[in-house]
Amino acid sequence: MNNLNMHSSAFRHALRVMITCIAGYILAKMIFTGHHSYWILMTIIIILKPAYSLTKEKNIDRLLGTIGGGIIGLLLLLFIKNEIAIFSLMVVCMLGTYTFVRMNYVVMVIFLTPYVLMLFHFLNMDIVDIAGERLVDTLIACVLAWIAMRFLFPSWERSTIRKNMLNVLEANLKYLNKLAAAMRKNNISAVEYKLVRKEVFVSTANLSAALHRMQSEPRSKQQHRVEIYELVVLNHVLSSNIASLYHSVEAEPSPLPSSYLIKLGRCISYLKEAILKISPEATIEEDAEKSPSVKGEENESISRQLEFIQKICADIRKIVFKMA
């Protein structure tokens, strides 16, 4: 029941597919009189995806595959007259279709189209008419799918990418908190550390994928594309430097000077400010543990790494505030 509203992307996609299929059915029945007009509905269902970028990619792959496969199939049938050879080629195309169905969509369609044409050849049908009808039906379906994705309850990445940004910042904040715990020489298990690091990697990958999908959308729908790209790069740099510093801290035999924890506290505060700027209602877990007052010589390598991490966190905060 939670999806039965226009705020749900799944519900909007279901409506989009339904309306587009109705339009395709009306065109197939009232305007076009081909014998295989069900290809229009089948193609709409296959290529229409919840995201604009995925629909665009499927659209292009389907058109290129159908045109390329149609030309190959017609040439094979025009120049090869031996039925056994045609049947052998049909088997090869069938195997290629089911081999590439999960691997490469455009290659799968290139194999599928000659396979269909050869199949109809053995049914003694006019192959030129079949090829033309398939191309026209595919073209109609692709145009309807593009119009639906562009204008019918569109789902743009700009509406969801802020959530991905928030997840990345929260994951890096947890990573910094683990680093602070390591500086206090608290016992942190390897599994606990790896889970936090995995969360950073997954959230960063999701943000990168969202940015990639946004770059496939119309220019007018790409908000803060450059800033988000910079944020992705900075988060990669931040997580790699935290990992490097974590292992350096782990190698130290005793608790580190409290001046390090003060610097790290500034980094944590920068990320907290960025998180609250994106989502003021976000709940941030506060670190209630007091840092021990420890004096000692500072390790020059660790100091440089901490200063670099502090600079990265400040840049991330600056970018987030600029976008907000």
Side-chain angles (χ1 to χ4, degrees), residues 218-242:
R219 281 278 182 178
S220 59
K221 307 301 178 183
Q222 299 180 22
Q223 291 186 352
H224 304 296
R225 180 172 55 90
V226 175
E227 289 82 1
I228 295 170
Y229 175 77
E230 292 176 0
L231 187 64
V232 170
V233 173
L234 286 173
N235 274 288
H236 275 297
V237 176
L238 177 61
S239 59
S240 61
N241 276 274
I242 293 174

Side-chain angles (χ1 to χ4, degrees), residues 135-149:
L135 179 60
V136 170
D137 289 347
T138 300
L139 183 61
I140 294 168
C142 288
V143 170
L144 287 175
W146 180 84
I147 292 173
M149 197 64 236

Side-chain angles (χ1 to χ4, degrees), residues 153-223:
F153 317 121
S155 178
W156 307 115
E157 287 299 324
R158 67 185 183 188
S159 62
T160 58
I161 203 165
R162 292 176 73 88
K163 179 64 175 175
N164 291 318
M165 291 166 53
L166 185 64
N167 291 339
V168 167
L169 294 176
E170 289 177 341
N172 274 309
L173 180 60
K174 291 179 183 177
Y175 210 6
L176 284 175
N177 285 329
K178 292 300 175 189
L179 179 60
M183 284 186 175
R184 299 188 188 103
K185 292 303 173 181
N186 294 347
N187 291 325
I188 301 173
S189 66
V191 173
E192 188 179 356
Y193 168 73
K194 288 178 180 178
L195 285 174
V196 174
R197 186 180 62 181
K198 177 186 175 183
E199 188 177 344
V200 172
F201 291 160
V202 171
S203 59
T204 305
N206 289 338
L207 179 60
S208 300
L211 175 62
H212 178 71
R213 292 193 298 270
M214 176 185 280
Q215 290 172 333
S216 299
E217 295 177 351
R219 281 278 182 178
S220 59
K221 307 301 178 183
Q222 299 180 22
Q223 291 186 352

Side-chain angles (χ1 to χ4, degrees), residues 33-323:
T33 58
H35 297 289
H36 306 91
S37 52
Y38 59 86
W39 281 338
I40 297 176
L41 299 181
M42 181 185 68
T43 305
I44 289 171
I45 293 171
I46 290 172
I47 66 176
L48 197 55
K49 302 296 179 185
Y52 176 88
S53 58
L54 297 177
T55 302
K56 179 181 175 182
E57 182 182 353
K58 284 282 186 181
N59 238 328
I60 295 171
D61 288 348
R62 188 78 181 190
L63 279 173
L64 292 178
T66 301
I67 294 170
I71 293 171
I72 293 170
L74 286 174
L75 290 175
L76 290 175
L77 290 171
L78 288 175
F79 290 101
I80 298 175
K81 301 302 180 182
N82 187 293
E83 298 294 320
I84 296 176
I86 293 174
F87 182 78
S88 301
L89 288 170
M90 186 183 75
V91 172
V92 171
C93 290
M94 179 187 70
L95 292 174
T97 298
Y98 292 107
T99 299
F100 288 97
V101 67
R102 294 284 184 183
M103 298 168 58
N104 192 313
Y105 186 73
V106 67
V107 175
M108 186 274 287
V109 178
I110 289 174
F111 276 108
L112 175 64
T113 306
Y115 168 49
V116 171
L117 293 179
M118 292 175 190
L119 188 63
F120 280 110
H121 165 77
F122 286 110
L123 295 175
N124 296 319
M125 300 184 71
D126 191 332
I127 299 305
V128 176
D129 287 345
I130 293 294
E133 184 182 350
R134 186 169 180 83
L135 179 60
V136 170
D137 289 347
T138 300
L139 183 61
I140 294 168
C142 288
V143 170
L144 287 175
W146 180 84
I147 292 173
M149 197 64 236
R150 184 70 172 81
F151 302 106
L152 196 60
F153 317 121
S155 178
W156 307 115
E157 287 299 324
R158 67 185 183 188
S159 62
T160 58
I161 203 165
R162 292 176 73 88
K163 179 64 175 175
N164 291 318
M165 291 166 53
L166 185 64
N167 291 339
V168 167
L169 294 176
E170 289 177 341
N172 274 309
L173 180 60
K174 291 179 183 177
Y175 210 6
L176 284 175
N177 285 329
K178 292 300 175 189
L179 179 60
M183 284 186 175
R184 299 188 188 103
K185 292 303 173 181
N186 294 347
N187 291 325
I188 301 173
S189 66
V191 173
E192 188 179 356
Y193 168 73
K194 288 178 180 178
L195 285 174
V196 174
R197 186 180 62 181
K198 177 186 175 183
E199 188 177 344
V200 172
F201 291 160
V202 171
S203 59
T204 305
N206 289 338
L207 179 60
S208 300
L211 175 62
H212 178 71
R213 292 193 298 270
M214 176 185 280
Q215 290 172 333
S216 299
E217 295 177 351
R219 281 278 182 178
S220 59
K221 307 301 178 183
Q222 299 180 22
Q223 291 186 352
H224 304 296
R225 180 172 55 90
V226 175
E227 289 82 1
I228 295 170
Y229 175 77
E230 292 176 0
L231 187 64
V232 170
V233 173
L234 286 173
N235 274 288
H236 275 297
V237 176
L238 177 61
S239 59
S240 61
N241 276 274
I242 293 174
S244 175
L245 182 56
Y246 184 90
H247 292 296
S248 298
V249 170
E250 285 282 285
E252 292 292 319
S254 58
L256 296 173
S258 53
S259 58
Y260 285 167
L261 287 165
I262 293 172
K263 292 179 182 178
L264 191 59
R266 293 195 193 102
C267 300
I268 291 172
S269 66
Y270 287 147
L271 290 191
K272 285 180 178 179
E273 289 176 21
I275 290 170
L276 292 174
K277 193 68 176 178
I278 293 175
S279 177
E281 66 276 7
T283 303
I284 300 176
E285 186 177 343
E286 296 294 336
D287 188 1
E289 185 175 355
K290 292 184 179 180
S291 302
S293 180
V294 179
K295 294 183 179 180
E297 283 192 23
E298 294 188 356
N299 184 306
E300 186 178 349
S301 174
I302 293 178
S303 296
R304 285 201 303 267
Q305 284 180 289
L306 264 175
E307 289 171 3
F308 186 61
I309 288 175
Q310 186 175 327
K311 182 179 181 303
I312 295 170
C313 291
D315 289 341
I316 289 174
R317 175 183 174 276
K318 188 187 300 182
I319 290 173
V320 170
F321 272 65
K322 181 181 177 181
M323 292 170 61

